[in-house]
Structure formats: structure tokens, C-alpha cells
Amino acid sequence: MTRRTQAQRISAVDAAALVRSGDWVEYGGGVGQPDVFDAALAERVDEIEDVKIRACLTVRPRAVLEVDPGRDHFHWFSWHYTGYDRAKGDSGLATYIPCNLGEVPDYYRRFVEPPEIAVIKTCPKDERGFFNFSLAALWHRAIVERAKLVIVEESAGLPYLDGLENAVHESEVDYIVEGDHGPAPEVPNPPPNDVDHAIALLIANEIEDGSCLQIGIGAMPNAVCSLLLESGVRDLGVHTEMLTDGIVDLYRAGVVTGARKTLHPGKVACSFGFGTERQYETAHRNPDFVCLAVDLVNLPVLVMQNERVVAINSTTQMDLQGQAASESAGHRHISGTGGQAQFVQGAYASPGGKSFICMSSEYERRGVRTSRIVVDLTPGNIVTTTRADVMYVVTEYGIVNLKGKSIPDRARAMISIAHPDYRDDLERDARGHSLIPKGFF
């Protein structure tokens, strides 16, 4: 909505002074989370209590959490955990909000009570009077529409990207805070290992000219990008929740052109991005890149409009029926649903589309090896993608398509891509639970 008075420039200290006990404060997500405001608010730790902060994808330590180890003053709620959020959750300082990430703008507009204050880090005001949300469109547009008070923390260090619902006009802003103008936080992907490469090779072989990519977070999905650089595939498109360095490398190599896309042809479309300076420099004011509100990216009805969509996401555990538990380890929350479930559905509905859920066949913790493919999910584990939605499953031992398969057929298929050391036990337990009935070979 349009504000009644012109936006005022105030200090971070004065902006933080506007927060009262009991307020809901929106911090936004990713590179859009405020830094100087956060530090100023933390200084008031002994003056206020029961301040509830909603955020997402935290990439830098947050001062309000560091100064309040007992959660006596600030309460942190997150739409999706990073490693930092997870550590705070383990300490009892953060709480996850279950969601399909592409639905969050609608939550704000329909279900979330208007927050008292929203503080979003943005690019400096442009020549048209807009503060650009940079590589973090997400649901920031919905937040500023609903918040009672809107503050922007402007920073020249953020990349500027065009895109639908990726800016707020000065007429909608109450206060402007000078940011630190430092560079956007770098979040490099972990280097892929041999297992990642083996899985990536299986997936890369399934990608054809003109495919439209969605790449999830992590070394494994991004290893696919590295292999595609050498595969000879051409005219790839990108319609993805998260922009990654791997996608940027494909673009810079000319492999990604978007020439065959239906939705946003010729454009790399995303809703947020993390990566290295190379990514930020490539995307900055680049007309080939658009950053869009997440409900303009993730909804299956939109994803399916591009042909040959290839969705590549990872998981941590799957059962023999094909349920993918990608966001928790028992009752311990790890990440979030994100856009995985929505892109799995959208890719399947896309003409010629494919979705891949990938994982290493086993993991080792404290010297104990454990299969990621199990008869029963760990108690408390959250199912991110249902068995009815899962299409291709990939480990370093192979690739299977679960669509159209019966429960016994699914069990046998999943066992076939498990680590060989666990296959006999998995089959015995599957028969013991009648997942593979007597007489079924």
C-alpha cells in the first residue's frame, strides 16, 4: 500500500528503537536479511522481550540470537533452515515453520497476521524510485504489502536483478536505513565427491537438448552442472527456485540459452540465489536473469508450462515404497520442504519432464555405516515427497523409475540401487513385512 508520508532516512539505532515487546518483526530471507538493523536490535536485548522474528535461509550469524542464548527476549522462526538455523534449532533457539516455499506469499496474504515491522535489505533506490530485492525476491513483496511499518536497509553491495515482484517503491517505505554496503555473503557449494560424480553422470545422461533445469541445493545436484558442461547438450533453460554457481557456469559457457522455454524464454528464472562472487557479478544487471516472487516460480501449474523440465533434488532417506524424507533426521529438523515437492509435481506434469531424487546409498557417522534406503523411515522423519509423486530415484548404484510400479515392484527397484552390503537384509525385511509377498519374484 502507499504510505502517507515520504520515507525518512534514520539510523539503525533509531530504527531498532521502533521495535516494542511482543512485536512480530520480519527479517526476510537470504541476502535480504538485514545486518546493521540486526546489530542495533541486539543492543536492545535487555530492554525488550517476546520479540518474534520471522526469517528464512540465514547465511550470516544473527546478532539477536547470539546475544540471547536463553531465548529470553527474541524468538526466531524460519521458513527454511540453513546450517546456521539448524544449529540454533538444535540449541532450542529457532523454530521451523512447515511450508511449501512457493506458497509462502499466499500465507502472508491470507493467513499470517500483519506484522508490526518488516526490515528488508535491498539495493539502493534506483532511478525510478524502487528498492530492488536483489537475489531474494521470495515473498518480500507480500511482506511489505502486509506490514504495518516497512524499513529498508539499503546496500550497494547487493547484485541488482529485474523481475516480477522484486522491488518495493519508495512510496511504500516508511524508513530507510543506511546499510554497510559490504559484498553479498558468499555461500560456495561443497566440492562433489566420487559418489556425487557417479550419481550426476546417471542423471546427466537423461538430460536432452532443450531441457529446462531446476537444480536443488548441495554438491550432488550441482555436480550434474559440471558434467553437462562436457556433455555436448545444448539450449538448456533454467526455471529454478535457487540460482547456483553451477547454473551460472552453464550460462557462461553458452550451454544455457533459454531459447526453447515457454515461460520466460531466453531468461534464467529464479526466486533467490546463493553462491560466490562469480554468481553475483554474472547476474548483476544482466538482462538474461530474472528474480521473481517464489509463487511465480515454484507452483506446479507454472513449472509445467515449460517443456522437458528436469528437476534435480536430493534427499537423506527413502523407504522401499518411495517416500523421500529430505528435511529431518527423526525429530531433529535439518532444512525444510523448500520447493522439492512442488518441482517434483511440476516436472512430472511438464511435457517430457522428469524429476530426480538423488542420494548416496549409505552414510557413515561416528564410524557406523547406515543405509539411506530403509524398510521403515526413522521414527519422527518427515516425508517431503510422497511415494505417489516420486519419479526417478538415483544412487551411485543405479537409477529407477517408480511411476506405475506396485509396492512389491517398488521395493525390488529400491533394493536394486541400495548399497550391496544391505540388499539381502532389505529384501528379507521387505518379505517379513509383506512388502514383497510370498511367491513374488
Side-chain angles (χ1 to χ4, degrees), residues 103-428:
E103 297 176 349
V104 175
D106 190 53
Y107 299 168
Y108 277 101
R109 291 176 173 127
R110 297 177 61 196
F111 309 122
V112 175
E113 290 296 317
E116 278 73 26
I117 299 176
V119 191
I120 309 296
K121 192 173 186 178
T122 69
C123 298
K125 185 174 67 173
D126 64 21
E127 63 280 1
R128 299 171 298 161
F130 284 95
F131 296 90
N132 185 269
F133 292 140
S134 183
L135 257 176
L138 293 168
W139 40 87
H140 293 164
R141 180 70 239 168
I143 287 176
V144 300
E145 290 173 6
R146 296 282 287 163
K148 299 174 183 177
L149 193 72
V150 174
I151 301 171
V152 297
E153 179 180 307
E154 59 177 8
S155 173
L158 296 179
Y160 183 106
L161 283 87
D162 286 328
L164 297 173
E165 299 192 11
N166 196 30
V168 55
H169 192 262
E170 60 183 337
S171 63
E172 302 172 284
V173 174
D174 294 291
Y175 297 104
I176 303 165
V177 170
E178 186 83 6
D180 58 14
H181 300 295
E186 293 194 62
V187 187
N189 274 300
N193 57 32
D194 291 342
V195 170
D196 296 330
H197 276 295
I199 292 169
L201 181 61
L202 291 168
I203 297 173
N205 288 334
E206 295 286 332
I207 297 175
E208 55 193 310
D209 290 351
S211 295
C212 186
L213 302 180
Q214 177 260 325
I215 303 291
I217 193 169
M220 199 174 292
N222 277 279
V224 177
C225 295
S226 298
L227 290 175
L228 290 175
L229 286 170
E230 307 166 2
S231 69
V233 70
R234 300 178 300 169
D235 282 339
L236 296 181
V238 174
H239 183 97
T240 188
E241 178 182 76
M242 175 180 173
L243 183 65
T244 68
D245 283 355
I247 291 171
V248 167
D249 290 342
L250 289 173
Y251 167 80
R252 292 174 71 113
V255 178
V256 165
T257 66
R260 306 190 195 183
K261 289 178 66 181
T262 301
L263 195 62
H264 309 297
K267 306 287 187 183
V268 174
C270 67
S271 188
F272 73 94
F274 290 147
T276 60
E277 184 180 359
R278 177 180 174 88
Q279 177 186 141
Y280 303 144
E281 289 180 348
T282 301
H284 178 60
R285 292 194 177 275
N286 188 332
D288 292 340
F289 286 72
V290 288
C291 192
L292 313 166
V294 71
D295 55 342
L296 303 178
V297 176
N298 287 27
L299 299 186
V301 70
L302 298 175
V303 175
M304 66 184 287
Q305 291 181 31
N306 287 308
E307 295 184 5
R308 295 181 298 279
V309 171
V310 175
I312 306 170
N313 294 281
S314 56
T315 192
T316 57
Q317 189 182 61
M318 292 189 71
D319 68 14
L320 295 185
Q321 298 194 48
Q323 297 186 110
S326 310
E327 58 194 271
S328 66
H331 294 287
R332 176 179 179 242
H333 192 74
I334 295 174
S335 54
T337 302
Q340 182 177 121
Q342 292 181 303
F343 272 98
V344 164
Q345 292 179 337
Y348 176 73
S350 161
K354 304 173 183 178
S355 72
F356 298 89
I357 300 292
C358 52
M359 61 183 167
S360 59
S361 64
E362 64 172 350
Y363 66 94
E364 184 174 331
R365 183 170 294 130
R366 300 186 183 92
V368 178
R369 296 168 57 217
T370 305
S371 176
R372 291 194 184 277
I373 296 177
V374 295
V375 174
D376 296 306
L377 297 176
T378 299
N381 249 5
I382 301 301
V383 175
T384 303
T385 302
T386 71
R387 62 182 183 176
D389 287 322
V390 167
M391 191 176 185
Y392 289 103
V393 183
V394 194
T395 74
E396 70 271 31
Y397 290 101
I399 180 170
V400 294
N401 186 350
L402 300 187
K403 286 292 188 181
K405 284 185 166 57
S406 66
I407 290 175
D409 285 327
R410 285 167 172 258
R412 294 298 292 270
M414 293 296 292
I415 292 169
S416 76
I417 60 171
H419 191 286
D421 290 353
Y422 309 109
R423 291 178 189 174
D424 288 345
D425 287 343
L426 286 170
E427 180 156 354
R428 183 180 61 251

Side-chain angles (χ1 to χ4, degrees), residues 33 38 57-67 76 78 80-91 93-94 334:
Q33 286 193 24
D38 175 55
L57 297 163
T58 307
V59 291
R60 282 178 172 149
R62 295 280 57 118
V64 290
L65 295 180
E66 300 303 320
V67 300
W76 189 262
S78 177
H80 196 96
Y81 277 11
T82 59
Y84 178 81
D85 296 305
R86 182 188 315 138
K88 294 305 177 185
D90 290 344
S91 301
L93 302 180
I334 295 174

